[in-house]
């Protein structure tokens, strides 16, 4: 990724309205952590949309669970956290109630004697623990929460915040857990308004694409080249082709520029530690794609995970030996998952290590972390302590 490509991309879009404010907040936050000699991690979380006015929009499944849970674990391990998240995705601490299988109100009750709202007895201990941790983070200025929505906003925010974090040097860590879109619609092809599913009378549409009354007969309709499809189609030649075309929407997406190399080589503080994620659905591709990403962008760690087993296992892929290390939640402590497939645990590892026996994956889990309410162990409570060790090693190597 060249500086020219970077310049062309960012000059094609106006910066987010909140960017200047976010930079100011981050600068003050970083300065405070420098005074306290704390490490700071930028956690990115949630998905990214492609459109400006989102009546219809392309999105992904990410709710921000990984990022929000990881942020809590970083705080537990003494880091200050800048939490750059998709607006309305899960947040640290409040996620335990906003994303619960129970409605938030199910945690509450009314004291008949005083008419006061109270926490139900069975949730007292858990909610007290979460509340104390949240208050500690807030009162000690350990957590800065910043939102984004579109993929372009995310790119602007990441670049700006990385530059603001430069004084941190090796004490900065980038944990890129956001599910960033791989494709987007360039601004010059982006529809300004809602994409219509049927023909619109010409007198309701001006040449600029905004609603404006013009002199036209009732039979006049928008011409083919005025109908947005996101793709330059050849004109229809027959009535059958025209009828078929009127029932479909074709969107031509461009690949999102890969700015990870620019983060590594230009934006991030010198000596900082950079972690990216690789999510796949095919076990035979996971480790290969993670290794390829690490080689291509020359950062420090790729955390690979399968969609079907992401709550129970991940693989750390690093440039240093042992190069590939699996972290798994022990079978007895795995949380329930509607979408997960336990029979796929270990498959991605066996692609590269076919000699592994069925029992090997059970030996690789780790104990000692806290349980979530359903009795399961959150894998982030295993990921983050191991990552902290790697970051510490990086810091020590530069001293």
């Amino acid at each position: 990724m060249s500086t020219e490509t970077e310049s062309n991309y960012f000059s094609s879009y106006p910066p987010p309205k909140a960017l200047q404010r976010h930079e100011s907040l981050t600068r003050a936050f970083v300065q405070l952590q420098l005074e306290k000699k704390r490490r700071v991690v930028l956690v990115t979380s949630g998905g990214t949309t492609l459109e400006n006015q989102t009546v219809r929009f392309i999105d992904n499944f990410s709710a921000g669970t990984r990022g929000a849970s990881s942020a809590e674990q970083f705080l537990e391990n003494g880091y200050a956290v800048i939490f750059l998240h998709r607006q309305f995705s899960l947040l640290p601490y409040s996620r335990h109630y906003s994303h619960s299988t129970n409605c938030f109100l199910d945690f509450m009750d009314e004291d008949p004697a005083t008419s006061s709202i109270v926490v139900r007895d069975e949730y007292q201990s858990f909610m007290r623990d979460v509340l104390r941790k949240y208050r500690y983070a807030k009162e000690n200025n350990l957590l800065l929460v910043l939102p984004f929505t579109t993929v372009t906003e995310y790119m602007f925010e990441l670049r700006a915040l990385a530059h603001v974090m430069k004084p941190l040097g090796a004490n900065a860590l980038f944990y890129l857990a956001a599910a960033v879109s791989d494709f987007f619609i360039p601004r010059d092809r982006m529809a300004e308004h809602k994409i219509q599913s049927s023909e619109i009378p010409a007198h309701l549409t001006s040449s600029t694409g905004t609603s404006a009354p013009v002199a036209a007969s009732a039979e006049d309709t928008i011409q083919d080249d005025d109908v947005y499809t996101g793709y330059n189609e050849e004109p229809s030649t027959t009535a059958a082709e025209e009828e078929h075309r009127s029932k479909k929407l074709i969107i031509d997406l461009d690949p999102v520029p890969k700015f990870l190399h620019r983060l590594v080589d230009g934006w991030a503080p010198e000596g900082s530690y950079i972690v990216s994620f690789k999510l796949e659905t095919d076990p035979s591709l996971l480790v290969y794609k993670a290794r390829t990403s690490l080689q291509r962008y020359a950062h420090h760690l790729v955390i690979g995970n399968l969609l079907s087993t992401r709550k129970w296992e991940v693989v750390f892929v690093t440039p240093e030996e042992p190069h590939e290390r699996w972290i798994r939640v022990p079978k007895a402590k795995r949380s329930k998952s509607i979408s997960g497939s336990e029979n796929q645990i270990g498959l991605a590892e066996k692609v590269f290590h076919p000699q592994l026996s069925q029992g090997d994956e059970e030996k690789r889990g780790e104990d000692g972390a806290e349980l979530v309410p359903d009795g399961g162990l959150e894998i982030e409570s295993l990921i983050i302590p191991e990552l902290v060790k790697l970051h510490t090693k990086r810091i020590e190597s530069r001293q």
Side-chain angles (χ1 to χ4, degrees):
M1 174 62 63
S2 66
T3 54
E4 181 180 359
T5 302
E6 175 188 344
S7 178
N8 290 340
Y9 178 85
F10 286 104
S11 64
S12 299
Y13 297 89
K17 294 179 180 178
L19 183 62
Q20 195 170 26
R21 177 173 175 270
H22 289 179
E23 285 181 292
S24 179
L25 289 170
T26 303
R27 190 170 290 107
F29 186 80
V30 167
Q31 183 57 42
L32 177 62
Q33 310 314 324
L34 284 168
E35 293 171 3
K36 299 292 185 179
K37 295 182 171 57
R38 292 193 187 108
R39 298 180 189 181
V40 178
V41 58
L42 173 62
V43 176
T44 69
S45 182
T48 56
T49 68
L50 305 189
E51 282 74 23
N52 292 321
Q53 302 192 65
T54 51
V55 175
R56 300 188 182 101
F57 60 95
I58 300 173
D59 206 345
N60 58 50
F61 77 95
S62 177
T65 306
R66 177 83 80 207
S69 177
S70 296
E72 291 179 20
Q73 293 299 324
F74 275 117
L75 289 163
E76 288 283 307
N77 281 271
Y79 282 68
V81 176
I82 302 170
F83 191 69
L84 181 62
H85 72 107
R86 162 73 178 277
Q87 189 173 33
F88 306 126
S89 65
L90 296 182
L91 296 174
Y93 303 115
S94 66
R95 71 184 177 95
H96 295 284
Y97 314 107
S98 61
H99 199 54
S100 171
T101 52
N102 296 324
C103 169
F104 175 73
L105 296 177
D106 290 335
F107 291 88
M108 315 301 291
D109 215 337
E110 183 178 359
D111 185 338
T114 63
S115 295
S116 300
I117 302 300
V118 296
V119 176
R120 294 178 62 178
D121 290 343
E122 59 266 40
Y123 299 115
Q124 284 280 344
S125 178
F126 181 72
M127 291 193 75
R128 183 185 300 111
D129 183 53
V130 172
L131 179 60
R132 285 175 177 173
K133 291 176 179 178
Y134 169 72
R135 282 185 172 173
Y136 182 84
K138 186 176 180 180
E139 291 170 1
N140 289 277
N141 295 306
L142 294 170
L143 178 62
L144 177 63
V145 177
L146 304 173
F148 67 84
T149 302
T150 68
V151 64
T152 303
E153 289 175 351
Y154 172 83
M155 294 300 182
F156 267 99
E157 294 277 358
L158 179 61
R159 182 178 68 160
L161 300 187
H163 282 298
V164 173
M165 291 172 66
K166 281 187 179 293
L168 292 163
N171 280 332
L173 191 156
F174 292 82
Y175 185 83
L176 308 178
V180 182
S181 304
D182 288 319
F183 300 95
F184 80 123
I185 301 175
R187 189 184 183 200
D188 59 0
R189 296 211 311 270
M190 184 77 72
E192 180 182 0
H193 297 293
K194 174 187 171 184
I195 300 171
Q196 300 298 322
S197 59
S198 58
E199 293 181 341
I200 307 299
H203 70 279
L204 295 179
T205 303
S206 70
S207 60
T208 62
T210 57
S211 298
V214 293
S217 65
E219 289 79 16
D220 288 339
T221 58
I222 299 174
Q223 298 301 308
D224 287 344
D225 56 3
D226 290 329
V227 178
Y228 176 78
T229 64
Y231 189 79
N232 298 322
E233 290 190 275
E234 294 296 325
S236 303
T237 57
T238 67
E241 287 179 351
E242 181 60 34
E243 180 180 4
H244 176 65
R245 179 181 176 181
S246 68
K247 295 179 181 179
K248 68 180 179 179
L249 172 67
I250 299 175
I251 301 177
D252 184 21
L253 301 176
D254 284 6
V256 173
K258 299 294 186 181
F259 285 116
L260 183 53
H261 210 294
R262 292 294 301 133
L263 178 67
V264 174
D265 287 342
W267 302 350
E270 184 178 353
S272 58
Y273 197 84
I274 299 174
V275 181
S276 71
F277 280 77
K278 178 62 66 175
L279 178 70
E280 294 293 336
T281 58
D282 186 344
S284 67
L285 294 178
L286 178 63
V287 176
Y288 167 77
K289 293 292 288 290
R291 289 179 178 176
T292 301
S293 178
L294 193 69
Q295 293 165 1
R296 179 175 298 159
Y297 302 113
H299 54 307
H300 307 103
L301 171 65
V302 175
I303 300 180
N305 53 158
L306 286 175
L307 182 64
S308 58
T309 63
R310 68 190 186 280
K311 294 183 182 296
W312 306 311
E313 67 172 357
V314 300
V315 58
F316 278 23
V317 178
T318 60
E320 304 84 18
E321 293 184 353
H323 302 300
E324 175 193 333
R325 182 187 171 199
W326 287 86
I327 295 176
R328 293 193 175 94
V329 176
K331 186 173 183 179
K333 294 185 178 181
R334 290 174 191 158
S335 59
K336 299 175 184 177
S337 174
I338 297 175
S339 60
S341 301
E342 282 197 87
N343 61 356
Q344 291 196 11
I345 290 176
L347 290 185
E349 183 176 14
K350 291 171 186 174
V351 171
F352 284 85
H353 304 285
Q355 74 280 7
L356 290 176
S357 67
Q358 184 65 35
D360 284 338
E361 63 98 356
E362 294 299 338
K363 299 175 184 177
R364 293 170 180 257
E366 301 181 38
D367 297 320
E370 295 181 5
L371 300 182
V372 290
D374 70 354
L377 185 68
E378 291 191 308
I379 194 169
E380 291 78 18
S381 63
L382 306 179
I383 292 173
I384 303 308
E386 295 305 311
L387 179 52
V388 170
K389 293 177 185 177
L390 293 175
H391 189 204
T392 299
K393 185 177 179 181
R394 168 79 169 171
I395 292 172
E396 291 174 348
S397 70
R398 297 185 62 82
Q399 291 176 346

